[in-house]
Structures are given as structure tokens and as C-alpha cells.
Amino acid sequence: MEKQIYLDNNATTQVAPEVIEAMLPFFSGQYGNPSSIHWFGGHVKKYVETAREQVAQLLGASPEEIIFTSCGSESDNLALKGFCGVHGSFSRIITSTVEHPAVRNTARYLQGRGALLTELEVDSDGNLRIDQFDSVPVDNNTIVSLMWANNETGVIFPISELAAKVKGKGGFFHTDAVQAVGKIPVDVKKVPIDMLALSGHKIHAPKGIGAIYIRKGLELEPLLHGGHQESGMRAGTENVPYIVGLGKACELALKHMDEENTRVRAMRDRLERELLKRCAGAKLNGSREMRLPNTANISFEFIEGEAILLHLDENGIAASSGSACTTGSLEPSHVMRAMGLPYTFAHSSTRFSLSRYNKEEHIDKVIEVMPGIVDKLRSLSPFVEKRNE
Ligand code: PLP
């Protein structure tokens, strides 16, 4: 386990030791229900509210604008279904072809229930087609849901500019910021978004906790009906230890943001530069400039991504081919297809995603083994022979 090198942080992250430490008391002595009147309840409620402040601070929001959920997917579901619940048969949804299934499948579900759906395309670098965005009608029954950063390529959409345009036309703006939060500055005071989804396990909190920012005054229909918890937006007794863990993770993310954008970015850049130089037929996927500092997505022509992953795994290196949610299927990911990557590149897309726990020697190891893996697999590739015939 010690020798394992983890470069799959867009799939999930190691829980920070400080987060575990912050959570532990709430599994033992501090087990009260935050809604209870007695000491046990009042005591833990204070910690839930501190966590809400910590999340709000990372986003530049007010604590009342933060609702705790079980994950990023739930937050995305609440944003889209909650909006359509209020706007009924007039609902229009505008999203993109490269969204995570948490948004894409929710939007398609709502389309099946009568909402009008438009999926905007991206160019070959994964940037949103602004011409399409500008030509699509937006009214006050429209929710535009665009991801802040793509989980596969790390490509960042110009959320500030897009949200301002939507607000200017009277529409509403949701962003799936699950991959952006904690990696790049996100400030809802400066960006006119109405809703934002985030997830704990992408920022060194555990799986099973998320949050949604809902701008003050915005009306949404809850997904869960029941008790009055979370201002009536999310019934169910609060998951106190995980909420406390998410709060701590947000505090740490704010503290480590500069490191993410300097040390982690420099390691990512070195990895990318060396792989592109040393591996024949290597190609970077996604815009070079508008990208998360921790993500490198590279294709190695004629090779199957799954085979690369297995060979990396034999060398103790964990990476990913496309989104973890689609692993197991040999279809190229919907993101690579949306970017129009040729078949021989789309199949070999390999994602390396770093975190603050990575060290230079992890990058050295990948740079050392990857050219050999590529040469070996390419010599076995049936696609190469076809081309040479
Ligand atoms: N949105 C994006 C961009 C993601 O990368 C993910 C997870 O991979 C999600 C949403 C879903 O988050 P969760 O796993 O917390 O449901």
C-alpha cells in the first residue's frame, strides 16, 4: 500500500487526517440530534453551524445559503428537479454535452417529464461553443446548468461570463462545481450564479456528503419531504460527523489553494510535458490554458486506455481512463466523443489527476514507466497494423 501512487483524485480523494480527527468525536460522545432541545442536541448543532460557515467561506456565500446533501449528485438533482418542480411544464433546461451524468441524466429525465432540453456542444479543445450559447433562447423559466470544470479533461468553462449573460436575459444559472471547488477560487459574490453543487469526497472529506449553494430568495422544490431540517430544503436528521468533516475539508481547501495552484500545478505540468515528449503518438486532451491545475488528460494513439491502466496498476500507479463512472465499458467517454476526438485517440485517453498529497517522486515514476508501456502496447495494437496495411 505504501508504494502505491495515487493519481486519480478527480475520481475521489484521500480523506485528510485533520478531517478524520475533526469527525471522530461525533461518532462517540457527541451523538446528539441537532434538532433536540437538550445539551446533546444544542452542542452538536453548534458544530453543524460552524461547518456551514466553513463551506460558505470557501464559496464567498452566506451560511444560510448552504444546504447539506448526501453527495454532488444529490445537489445537482436538487438544483434541476427543484427548479423544474417550481416552473412545471414551462421549464427549459440548457446544459452541455460534456456534463457529468449527475447533470446530464437528470436533465434527460426531466426532458422525459416535459421540460425542453438543449445540450450545447463543445469544440475540439472542450471549450463551450459560445456561438451556440448566445443563440439559444433564455427566459425566466430557463435553468442553465453548466459545469465549472470538467472531471475528465479539467477544462474550465468561463462561468462568470456565462452566468452574467444568463442573468441578463432573466434566466437562472446552476453550476456543477464538484471538480472546481477547492482547486480554483470560487466566489459567488463575484459570479452571479443561483445554485452551485459541491461534493466532499473530491476535496479530502469522505464519500456521502455534499452541499448545494442556493442564492438567497431562490425558490426550489425539495427532493426530500419530511422534517424541517436544512431550512426545509432537505429533510432527514443531519449527518453530523460528515457535515463536520466537510466543513473541515473546506477550511483546509482554502488554506491549500495556493499550493494547488503552484506546487501541484508545477508537478502536473512536468508530468504532461515529459509524457508528451517521451511517448510517441501522445496528445493532450482539452484546452491547455483554461484547465484545472491538477488534471492532465493524454491520449496515446492506437492504444486501449484500459490496457494502459492495467500496466500502470502493475507498477503501483492508479490513474483513470475517462470518468470512473464509465469504467467497465469499452465505449470512449462521452466527453471525448463530444470533443470529436478520432477513434484511435478517444479510446486511449488517460487521466492523471493530482492532489496536495502527491510528491515529485510519484511523477518521476510515471515518467519512467510510461514510455515503455506505450511502446509495448503499441507494438501489440491491431489498429497500427490496419493502418500499415
Ligand atoms: N459532478 C462532477 C463534475 C463529478 O466529477 C462528480 C463525481 O465524479 C459528480 C458530479 C458526482 O459527485 P458525487 O460522487 O458526490 O455524487
Side-chain angles (χ1 to χ4, degrees):
M1 208 39 200
E2 270 301 289
K3 291 210 184 75
Q4 295 286 328
I5 296 172
Y6 190 72
L7 294 171
D8 199 11
N9 288 279
N10 286 9
T12 198
T13 57
Q14 172 191 335
V15 181
E18 299 93 324
V19 168
I20 298 176
E21 198 188 331
M23 291 171 66
L24 282 178
F26 301 92
F27 289 111
S28 49
Q30 303 184 34
Y31 50 78
N33 182 330
S35 300
S36 300
I37 273 307
H38 49 63
W39 179 85
F40 287 90
H43 184 73
V44 298
K45 189 170 170 53
K46 275 193 269 179
Y47 285 88
V48 169
E49 294 318 313
T50 301
R52 202 183 305 282
E53 281 164 22
Q54 288 164 316
V55 177
Q57 205 179 355
L58 181 61
L59 305 179
S62 298
E64 321 83 78
E65 295 175 312
I66 304 299
I67 301 296
F68 292 111
T69 63
S70 66
C71 58
S73 300
E74 185 188 329
S75 300
D76 285 327
N77 271 263
L78 175 55
L80 295 179
K81 291 179 184 164
F83 181 89
C84 293
V86 172
H87 294 257
S89 56
F90 298 106
S91 306
R92 293 181 71 97
I93 305 172
I94 298 170
T95 184
S96 81
T97 51
V98 294
E99 299 295 314
H100 187 274
V103 165
R104 208 163 156 243
N105 291 342
T106 306
R108 289 178 177 187
Y109 164 81
L110 289 162
Q111 180 186 32
R113 319 268 303 183
L116 209 59
L117 174 64
T118 307
E119 291 187 354
L120 304 171
E121 293 172 352
V122 295
D123 65 17
S124 58
D125 277 339
N127 297 310
L128 193 73
R129 292 268 311 270
I130 300 288
D131 55 326
Q132 287 187 356
F133 177 80
D134 285 339
S135 61
V136 68
V138 170
D139 61 17
N140 57 10
N141 288 308
T142 304
I143 180 166
V144 176
S145 178
L146 293 168
M147 65 203 317
W148 201 305
N150 187 273
N151 44 304
E152 294 191 33
T153 57
V155 170
I156 296 170
F157 282 166
I159 291 300
S160 192
E161 182 194 329
L162 299 171
K165 286 187 184 190
V166 170
K167 298 307 294 174
K169 293 179 187 173
F172 294 84
F173 198 90
H174 165 61
T175 182
D176 174 350
V178 164
Q179 294 292 346
V181 166
K183 293 174 188 157
I184 53 172
V186 166
D187 187 347
V188 297
K189 281 199 291 297
K190 295 191 184 141
V191 185
I193 52 185
D194 297 297
M195 290 167 275
L196 174 151
L198 67 91
S199 172
H201 74 106
K202 310 291 183 177
I203 57 167
H204 305 289
K207 295 154 196 64
I209 183 72
I212 180 169
Y213 156 80
I214 305 174
R215 191 175 286 282
K216 215 175 285 171
L218 182 75
E219 201 192 343
L220 283 188
E221 190 173 282
L223 286 183
L224 292 187
H225 296 90
H228 57 270
Q229 293 91 352
E230 298 299 293
S231 313
M233 281 311 300
R234 209 278 183 176
T237 303
E238 296 87 340
N239 185 353
V240 178
Y242 282 59
I243 289 174
V244 169
L246 178 61
K248 187 72 189 175
C250 287
E251 181 195 304
L252 293 170
L254 206 52
K255 191 167 133 198
H256 289 284
M257 186 84 72
D258 286 346
E259 180 185 358
E260 188 87 34
N261 284 285
T262 49
R263 193 182 70 86
V264 173
R265 182 187 291 273
M267 282 194 294
R268 188 281 307 268
D269 286 349
R270 183 165 77 89
L271 172 69
E272 203 167 271
R273 203 170 47 241
E274 293 301 320
L275 292 188
L276 292 173
K277 192 166 78 188
R278 292 170 192 233
C279 302
K283 173 194 175 306
L284 179 70
N285 296 319
S287 157
R288 197 175 279 275
E289 292 79 35
M290 289 294 287
R291 215 143 42 96
L292 290 175
N294 81 318
T295 309
N297 189 312
I298 302 177
S299 285
F300 303 90
E301 198 182 15
F302 298 126
I303 305 177
E304 197 62 69
E306 304 288 311
I308 296 174
L309 293 193
L310 291 176
H311 280 73
L312 283 172
D313 193 39
E314 277 171 14
N315 285 279
I317 299 163
S320 157
S321 73
S323 156
C325 307
T326 56
T327 301
S329 126
L330 283 180
E331 276 295 295
S333 86
H334 72 281
V335 177
M336 297 301 137
R337 275 184 282 139
M339 287 163 62
L341 238 67
Y343 182 86
T344 52
F345 280 104
H347 269 271
S348 65
S349 105
T350 306
R351 179 185 71 187
F352 301 94
S353 49
L354 285 63
S355 82
R356 61 177 181 265
Y357 294 112
N358 286 120
K359 301 190 178 112
E360 293 290 350
E361 61 247 42
H362 298 161
I363 305 304
D364 293 341
K365 177 78 181 175
V366 183
I367 294 171
E368 179 198 319
V369 302
M370 200 61 197
I373 295 176
V374 170
D375 285 348
K376 179 177 165 195
L377 291 175
R378 189 162 293 128
S379 70
L380 300 172
S381 170
F383 303 117
V384 179
E385 267 178 29
K386 273 215 175 79
R387 180 183 253 196
N388 291 341
E389 268 166 14

